[in-house]
């Protein structure tokens, strides 16, 4: 089955090519890869790239048989250089869809203009509320009763592109930011794979998972 899927992709270009950027655990990444392995999925993950060599997700991707790359971003390796190498790879692998999954760098406008495919991100808040970092902590400070996550298109303005899907969780008494993160991540994964299937099959209905 799988073999057939990859042959079709290489010879006839029936499947769409996905690449995933990570910086850490990679549980969204793992869910996306696993979903693409099912025979009815319109896409295939061609590679996973991390800006950190210690990202746990790299090991998970390798175990699932996916090619991995590390392009470090630090004092000696600029984000500009990272983006140049990434763009080359995206073109070489004919990537249609780039998914950010816990990727903790902000891609530049120049990169987003140069890459012609779609770029998606998952953000742990109900956007447009709580853009940026530390969303679990910040939602507790707001004494809100609902938290959630959003999958959106990536544009140069941080966490501001078109919303493609959202999921929510209830905040209970005694929830800490760790507890919230654990509750939310399960629903994030479910949301992200649904949105990817949706966008790849040309459906533009916004997905809502409560
Ligand atoms: C997820 O909660 C994702 O929403 C968040 O990082 C976590 C990654 O988990 N992303 C951001 O905060 C992006 N600004 P994972 O590595 O297990 O998928």
């Amino acid at each position: 089955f799988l073999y057939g899927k990859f042959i079709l992709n290489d010879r006839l270009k029936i499947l769409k090519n996905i690449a995933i950027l990570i910086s850490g655990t990679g549980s969204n990444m793992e869910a996306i890869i696993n979903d693409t392995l099912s025979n009815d999925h319109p896409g295939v993950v061609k590679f996973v790239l991390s800006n950190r060599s210690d990202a746990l997700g790299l090991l998970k991707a390798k175990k699932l048989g996916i090619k991995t790359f590390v392009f470090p971003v630090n004092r000696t390796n600029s984000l500009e250089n990272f983006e140049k190498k990434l763009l080359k790879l995206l073109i070489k692998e004919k990537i249609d869809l780039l998914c950010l999954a816990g990727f903790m760098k902000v891609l530049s406008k120049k990169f987003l203009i140069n890459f012609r495919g779609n770029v998606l991100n998952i953000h742990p808040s109900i956007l447009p509320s709580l853009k940026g970092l530390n969303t679990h902590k910040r939602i507790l400070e707001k004494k809100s009763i609902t938290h959630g996550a959003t999958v959106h298109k990536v544009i140069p303005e941080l966490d501001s592109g078109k919303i493609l899907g959202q999921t929510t969780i209830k905040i209970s008494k005694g929830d800490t930011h760790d507890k919230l993160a654990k509750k939310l991540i399960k629903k994030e994964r479910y949301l992200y794979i649904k949105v990817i299937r949706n966008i790849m099959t040309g459906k533009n209905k916004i997905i809502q998972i409560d």
Side-chain angles (χ1 to χ4, degrees):
F1 262 165
L2 271 183
Y3 187 62
K5 186 167 168 161
F6 285 101
I7 292 284
L8 277 180
N9 187 43
D10 286 346
R11 304 239 171 103
L12 302 171
K13 191 77 176 66
I14 285 175
L15 295 170
K16 293 202 171 116
N17 293 331
I18 304 171
I20 308 177
L21 300 189
I22 61 167
S23 299
T25 316
S27 75
N28 277 292
M29 171 216 77
E30 195 174 23
I32 297 167
I33 296 170
N34 278 326
D35 197 39
T36 60
L37 293 178
S38 81
N39 213 35
D40 67 332
H41 198 286
V44 59
V45 177
K46 300 289 278 188
F47 68 87
V48 167
L49 165 63
S50 174
N51 60 307
R52 298 179 58 125
S53 58
D54 60 352
L56 252 179
L58 290 169
L59 299 175
K60 294 179 182 166
K62 277 184 196 149
K63 263 197 188 153
L64 289 163
I66 305 295
K67 249 189 301 189
T68 62
F69 296 89
V70 178
F71 298 160
V73 180
N74 48 37
R75 258 180 283 160
T76 42
N77 302 283
S78 66
L79 181 65
E80 197 184 348
N81 217 20
F82 173 96
E83 289 180 332
K84 271 190 194 155
K85 290 193 281 183
L86 169 59
L87 193 60
K88 266 196 195 157
L89 204 49
L90 293 170
I91 293 165
K92 180 167 171 255
E93 299 282 351
K94 300 187 171 61
I95 299 300
D96 306 291
L97 179 68
L98 179 61
C99 296
L100 314 192
F103 178 67
M104 302 310 280
K105 294 282 167 197
V106 181
L107 295 170
S108 72
K109 184 173 179 178
K110 188 173 165 198
F111 170 83
L112 292 170
I113 290 171
N114 285 335
F115 176 56
R116 305 263 161 224
N118 275 314
V119 185
L120 305 186
N121 180 42
I122 186 150
H123 178 76
S125 83
I126 305 170
L127 290 173
S129 174
L130 299 182
K131 295 174 183 178
L133 297 174
N134 303 318
T135 56
H136 309 307
K137 233 171 128 191
R138 285 157 65 205
I139 197 82
L140 287 173
E141 281 161 13
K142 279 176 70 152
K143 309 229 177 296
S144 173
I145 55 168
T146 313
H147 188 30
T150 305
V151 175
H152 63 93
K153 283 203 177 184
V154 175
I155 60 169
E157 292 72 36
L158 186 70
D159 302 328
S160 299
K162 184 176 188 291
I163 289 171
L164 304 172
Q166 288 188 316
T167 187
T168 56
I169 56 166
K170 285 204 173 77
I171 301 176
S172 318
K173 246 192 182 172
D175 271 347
T176 60
H177 63 269
D178 276 346
K179 277 190 190 166
L180 282 184
K182 276 198 191 114
K183 265 200 252 177
L184 188 59
I185 194 86
K186 291 186 197 143
K187 294 189 85 175
E188 283 190 33
R189 300 194 279 249
Y190 188 64
L191 173 70
Y192 212 169
I193 63 177
K194 287 244 178 271
V195 171
I196 290 171
R197 277 183 183 252
N198 225 31
I199 194 165
M200 290 203 134
T201 49
K203 294 180 194 135
N204 45 26
K205 202 175 138 251
I206 294 168
I207 294 181
Q208 174 70 41
I209 296 163
D210 292 316

